[in-house]
Amino acid sequence: RERQSSDRTPDASPQTAASTPGIEGDIVADEPLPFAVPADGSHVEHAVTTGVELRALALAERQIIGALLRQPELFHEPLAQGPAIDEALPPAMMVTAAGGRLYERLYEHLISGNAITLSHVMTELAAGDHHDLADLAAQAEHDAEAHSLGESARLLEMVASAVQRIRDHHQRHEHDVQC
């Protein structure tokens, strides 16, 4: 596979699914890749260069979201590398648009001290006609259960690894921008 260049300038045309090998699923050819835009409106260009990397980051997002839906208390629990999710992973660090929107909703509930359940989140999303996010929430919760086999320790390990994957991606991106 040919790697896409990460040397794009800010005014360059957006990367599209058609120009990125290996992107499959709900992404339509010639549609911009689903990168999250920070809540403050600024544009963050992510250093995703392959469909494989995008899928790995999307999986990491689903694992984090699913773990929080299964065990919301993980949000404030310190991870292996130090800080808890609430400190280590602000919503702006999410890479996919849908993952960013859903995580931001969960983040706002949890940072405010509100309890969340999959049922509550699904009801809220359905009421707001956000069926795509409801589907993502259900898939994320299923993925977290399948990976952890109901064991809290495995769930915490999965979340720590997923958070680190996203943080590493952002550190690589910051390094690429500085060079």
Side-chain angles (χ1 to χ4, degrees), residues 60-70 94 98-100 102-104 106 116 136-137 140-141 144 159:
E61 290 178 353
R62 284 196 318 272
Q63 290 173 334
I64 294 163
I65 290 166
L68 292 175
L69 289 169
R70 295 198 59 72
M94 297 307 246
L102 180 54
Y103 180 70
E104 184 170 25
L106 299 179
I116 61 167
L136 177 59
E141 193 276 341
V159 165

Side-chain angles (χ1 to χ4, degrees), residues 47-59:
V48 176
T49 56
T50 68
V52 171
E53 185 176 6
L54 178 60
R55 284 193 300 274
L57 291 165
L59 174 62

Side-chain angles (χ1 to χ4, degrees), residues 28-78:
V28 178
D30 295 327
E31 183 176 292
L33 291 175
F35 298 128
V37 176
D40 67 1
S42 64
H43 174 73
V44 175
E45 184 177 328
H46 295 281
V48 176
T49 56
T50 68
V52 171
E53 185 176 6
L54 178 60
R55 284 193 300 274
L57 291 165
L59 174 62
E61 290 178 353
R62 284 196 318 272
Q63 290 173 334
I64 294 163
I65 290 166
L68 292 175
L69 289 169
R70 295 198 59 72
Q71 292 185 9
E73 63 275 9
L74 291 177
F75 188 66
H76 299 292
E77 189 160 327

